[in-house]
């Protein structure tokens, strides 16, 4: 793997483009590794356990997934795009997130990972086969890196609405009637994780999987202590890819926050949301447009309380953009839309959350009273 450029002559700084008003200061985290073990090509799928696969499949179809495979013990969900499934749900005693799987660019990458970590390359126990290396990140999440699985064939998708914009009239003598039906998920976009060991976890994904940072967030008055959130993309050189495939933020627990799935356009988000609402589901937050990543979004919780996002029209970055820096705040999550809800923020206190905070403050991690107060301030700003 060739060495990643940190300050190439043609690299664009955060001040030369529009994704952030601030760039890095001297000595701050560069947002990429000088010599990563490999460079993963994309996020492949996410793995969960749930006790009721029938209930999970009903919500999945209402949300916009197609069933790729179903057995007594496993449910594989997919979008309309060709390629990997989006999600695997295995039957388990409790509902829990297991971890992400990333797609390796080359078969040799798996051998390189295995040598570096002391792991093994083995056959993948997934539809389509392939090979896999199983890793463990510093937060304790199992991470799979896969290669060679037979891709799923493309399915029919929703057509984007033909819009009249200003003097550009592309639709005449015709009306707009987006069908009130499930949004048809196209593909998995990203996953967001909370971790008590943010810096260690960030460096692991950059050093081991070759990912690079698009944007850093820091706590008000604590920038000197380093970032507390990162939006991280895959490095495919000059090919522009999603602004973030993985996002992580510092918090009192190690856990899943949400995952995001691309749909066609704003009408797909809105009409699909009406379909969900009519079936008794409650939107967690949205509709709006994010700042970091620029996606149109809305958020829902499934019956097991996992949060999922529909998104469309996200930013695409090549390797040439350096990380932006911005203060962490709730008001900074969206350009427009309703205020972020307490449900979305996870701000409603629970006995488990209180236990997480106490354990984090007593443990060997990056949480301390100043960080905790800073996070609480960001939630209310």
């Amino acid at each position: 793997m060739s060495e990643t450029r940190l300050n190439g002559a043609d690299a664009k700084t955060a001040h030369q483009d529009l994704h952030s008003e601030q760039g890095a200061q001297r000595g701050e985290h560069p947002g990429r590794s000088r010599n990563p073990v490999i460079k993963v090509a994309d996020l492949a799928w996410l793995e969960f356990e749930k006790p009721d696969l029938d209930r999970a499949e009903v919500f999945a179809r209402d949300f916009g997934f197609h069933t790729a495979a179903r057995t007594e013990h496993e449910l594989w969900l997919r979008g309309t795009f060709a390629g990997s499934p989006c999600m695997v749900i295995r039957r388990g005693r409790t509902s829990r997130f297991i971890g992400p799987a990333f797609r390796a660019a080359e078969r040799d990458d798996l051998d390189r990972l295995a040598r570096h970590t002391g792991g093994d390359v083995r056959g993948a126990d997934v539809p389509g086969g392939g090979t896999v290396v199983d890793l463990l990140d510093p937060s304790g999440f199992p991470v799979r890196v896969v290669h060679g699985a037979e891709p799923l064939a493309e399915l029919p998708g929703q057509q984007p609405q033909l819009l009249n914009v200003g003097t550009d009239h592309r639709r005449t003598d015709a009306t707009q009637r987006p069908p009130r039906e499930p949004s048809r998920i196209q593909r998995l976009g990203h996953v967001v994780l909370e971790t008590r060991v943010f810096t260690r976890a960030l460096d692991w994904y950059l050093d081991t999987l070759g990912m690079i940072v698009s944007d850093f967030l820091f706590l008000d008055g604590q920038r000197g202590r380093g970032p507390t959130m990162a939006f991280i993309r895959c490095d495919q050189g000059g090919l522009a890819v999603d602004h973030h495939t993985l996002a992580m933020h510092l918090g009192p627990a190690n856990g899943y926050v949400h995952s995001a799935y691309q749909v066609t356009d704003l009408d797909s988000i809105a009409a699909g949301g009406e379909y969900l609402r009519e079936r008794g589901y409650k939107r967690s937050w949205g509709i709006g447009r994010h700042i970091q990543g620029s996606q149109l979004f809305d958020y829902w919780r499934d019956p097991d309380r996992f949060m999922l996002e529909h998104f469309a029209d996200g930013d695409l970055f090549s390797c040439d953009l350096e990380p932006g820096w911005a203060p962490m705040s709730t008001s900074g999550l969206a350009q427009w839309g309703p205020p972020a809800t307490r449900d979305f923020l996870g701000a409603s206190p629970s006995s488990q959350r209180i236990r997480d905070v106490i354990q984090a403050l007593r443990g060997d991690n990056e949480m301390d009273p100043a960080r905790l107060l800073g996070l609480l301030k960001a939630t209310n700003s």
Side-chain angles (χ1 to χ4, degrees):
M1 187 66 64
S2 61
E3 181 175 291
T4 304
R5 291 177 306 174
L6 291 179
N7 293 295
D10 57 348
K12 299 177 182 178
T13 72
H15 299 287
Q16 293 172 330
D17 63 74
L18 300 179
H19 79 98
S20 178
E21 295 180 356
Q22 302 181 43
Q25 298 176 356
R26 183 181 295 275
E28 288 187 314
H29 199 296
R32 58 185 73 190
S33 174
R34 289 186 176 275
N35 191 25
V37 179
I38 68 166
K39 294 183 179 182
V40 291
D42 202 356
L43 190 60
W45 63 78
L46 304 177
E47 301 193 7
F48 294 82
E49 283 186 357
K50 296 183 179 183
D52 191 336
L53 296 188
D54 292 333
R55 184 177 69 174
E57 188 172 18
V58 169
F59 171 81
R61 290 178 176 174
D62 289 341
F63 189 76
F65 291 105
H66 289 78
T67 299
R70 174 71 195 268
T71 69
E72 182 182 354
H73 299 288
E74 289 188 350
L75 170 64
W76 285 84
L77 303 173
R78 62 162 298 175
T80 60
F81 283 3
S84 301
C86 299
M87 184 187 300
V88 55
I89 304 173
R90 296 187 173 90
R91 190 182 303 277
R93 295 179 60 184
T94 61
S95 295
R96 65 189 186 106
F97 173 67
I98 303 300
F102 292 88
R103 179 169 58 85
E106 304 289 345
R107 171 60 178 79
D108 289 346
D109 288 342
L110 299 187
D111 295 324
R112 190 175 298 112
L113 269 180
R115 288 194 300 270
H116 179 79
T117 63
D120 296 315
V121 180
R122 60 178 182 81
D125 54 345
V126 300
T131 51
V132 62
V133 172
D134 289 321
L135 311 172
L136 194 69
D137 80 3
S139 305
F141 294 114
V143 175
R144 287 185 151 189
V145 182
V146 300
H147 183 266
E150 184 71 23
L152 297 169
E154 184 177 0
L155 297 178
Q158 285 173 321
Q159 294 300 309
Q161 298 298 311
L162 193 61
L163 303 180
N164 288 330
V165 181
T167 59
D168 182 11
H169 300 155
R170 293 180 289 169
R171 191 186 77 256
T172 58
D173 296 330
T175 60
Q176 290 280 42
R177 300 293 185 270
R180 190 168 293 191
E181 63 183 10
S183 306
R184 295 189 201 173
I185 301 301
Q186 295 174 332
R187 64 181 179 91
L188 168 62
H190 63 259
V191 63
V192 180
L193 304 175
E194 177 180 313
T195 174
R196 297 172 179 169
V197 289
F198 171 79
T199 304
R200 286 170 51 199
L202 170 66
D203 289 343
W204 186 87
Y205 281 96
L206 273 51
D207 293 338
T208 307
L209 302 186
M211 306 182 80
I212 57 180
V213 175
S214 297
D215 280 287
F216 282 121
L217 300 184
F218 56 88
L219 294 177
D220 183 41
Q222 298 186 38
R223 180 165 180 171
R225 297 189 64 185
T228 49
M229 185 166 188
F231 297 86
I232 310 164
R233 67 189 187 275
C234 296
D235 181 359
Q236 293 202 37
L239 177 66
V241 301
D242 287 341
H243 171 272
H244 56 286
T245 297
L246 169 68
M248 293 188 300
H249 69 78
L250 178 65
N254 297 323
Y256 169 95
V257 179
H258 75 259
S259 51
Y261 304 87
Q262 180 177 287
V263 299
T264 305
D265 57 14
L266 179 58
D267 279 290
S268 178
I269 294 174
E274 288 300 294
Y275 182 90
L276 284 166
R277 184 183 60 80
E278 289 172 351
R279 276 148 186 79
Y281 303 104
K282 184 178 180 181
R283 181 181 279 118
S284 180
W285 183 35
I287 299 170
R289 186 182 282 276
H290 281 306
I291 293 180
Q292 279 79 22
S294 302
Q295 300 96 334
L296 296 162
F297 68 83
D298 73 348
Y299 293 87
W300 301 82
R301 288 194 186 272
D302 73 7
D304 296 279
R305 299 294 296 163
F306 290 107
M307 188 184 295
L308 290 83
E309 175 189 2
H310 291 129
F311 80 91
D313 190 33
D315 291 337
L316 301 174
F317 285 5
S318 71
C319 70
D320 294 322
L321 266 68
E322 296 178 348
W325 288 73
M328 194 174 187
S329 69
T330 296
S331 60
L333 292 175
Q335 302 176 46
W336 57 261
T341 64
R342 292 182 66 84
D343 178 73
F344 170 80
L345 296 170
S348 299
S350 66
S351 57
Q352 181 58 55
R353 197 61 169 169
I354 293 171
R355 287 194 294 270
D356 289 339
V357 170
I358 294 172
Q359 186 176 1
L361 292 176
R362 291 176 175 175
D364 180 17
N365 54 67
E366 297 174 31
M367 285 296 297
D368 57 35
R371 287 297 209 193
L372 178 60
L373 292 175
L375 290 169
L376 292 173
K377 181 178 179 181
T379 300
N380 293 287
S381 62

